[in-house]
Amino acid sequence: MHNTTTKIRNYKSNELNELVLKIVKLSVICGIREPLDNDMARFIVKFIKDEFKDFSYEEIEEAFTKYIKGSLNETVNDYGIFSPKFVSSVLIDYKRLRNKELALYYRFLEEERLKEQSKPKTIEELEQIENELLENVLFNIYNKAVE
């Protein structure tokens, strides 16, 4: 999800207006007691665009889903208010969790790449490696020395 959806920084004006409505919806889903008015929702969207522009809406929604499930830091508290501070706390905790998961994923990919490299080579692959070595190293050095 991190690399596959449109980031907030690339949102056009109409998408930002839609995001305001989605933020109001998120505040309701989170069980906020004080209704989020339109001005505060717009301010929060501007805040997100300025401070968390590398997020997509899908990631923001995922962050609040994890908050609701209790998968984020236990110290995040909304105090019944969907404020920029609360949004920031949730998104920062989600970013930490996301970055840990991405690091594990990239580590896994690297381990798989290393396993693939350590597999025994076929005769054809070994001949190709030998030819590339001869061509790129020995013949290039010889040609430079002759010139």
Side-chain angles (χ1 to χ4, degrees):
M1 181 176 350
H2 174 63
N3 292 324
T4 60
T5 54
T6 305
K7 303 299 180 186
I8 299 293
R9 72 173 160 263
N10 298 325
Y11 274 26
K12 294 173 178 44
S13 179
N14 64 325
E15 292 170 308
L16 289 172
N17 289 334
E18 290 173 16
L19 185 57
V20 169
L21 298 174
K22 291 176 179 180
I23 292 297
V24 171
K25 178 182 161 192
L26 276 179
S27 73
V28 172
I29 291 170
C30 286
I32 301 301
R33 286 174 278 173
E34 288 188 27
L36 191 61
D37 65 34
N38 196 34
D39 289 339
M40 181 55 81
R42 288 190 180 288
F43 181 81
I44 289 173
V45 166
K46 182 184 178 326
F47 174 75
I48 291 171
K49 187 173 188 243
D50 291 345
E51 302 301 325
F52 297 95
K53 57 184 153 248
D54 66 323
F55 278 72
S56 65
Y57 174 72
E58 291 77 11
E59 288 176 299
I60 293 169
E61 192 173 55
E62 177 71 12
F64 282 96
T65 299
K66 288 189 179 302
Y67 166 75
I68 293 166
K69 285 176 26 183
S71 301
L72 297 179
N73 187 345
E74 297 287 325
T75 61
V76 173
N77 195 333
D78 58 35
Y79 300 106
I81 301 171
F82 201 84
S83 67
K85 175 68 176 152
F86 169 65
V87 170
S88 179
S89 295
V90 169
L91 294 181
I92 287 170
D93 279 356
Y94 173 76
K95 190 173 188 175
R96 282 188 196 119
L97 180 66
R98 178 192 72 184
N99 289 347
K100 284 180 189 175
E101 290 173 354
L102 283 172
L104 289 173
Y105 173 71
Y106 290 133
R107 188 175 312 133
F108 169 78
L109 289 179
E110 181 64 15
E111 288 170 1
E112 290 300 308
R113 187 185 66 77
L114 291 173
K115 282 181 194 175
E116 188 64 32
Q117 282 181 345
S118 66
K119 283 184 180 176
K121 308 282 186 223
T122 65
I123 302 236
E124 292 83 17
E125 290 172 320
L126 290 173
E127 286 175 350
Q128 182 182 357
I129 292 170
E130 181 181 23
N131 289 337
E132 288 174 3
L133 177 67
L134 287 171
E135 182 69 33
N136 293 328
V137 178
L138 297 177
F139 292 133
N140 285 343
I141 292 173
Y142 175 77
N143 287 336
K144 286 181 184 177
V146 172
E147 293 174 354

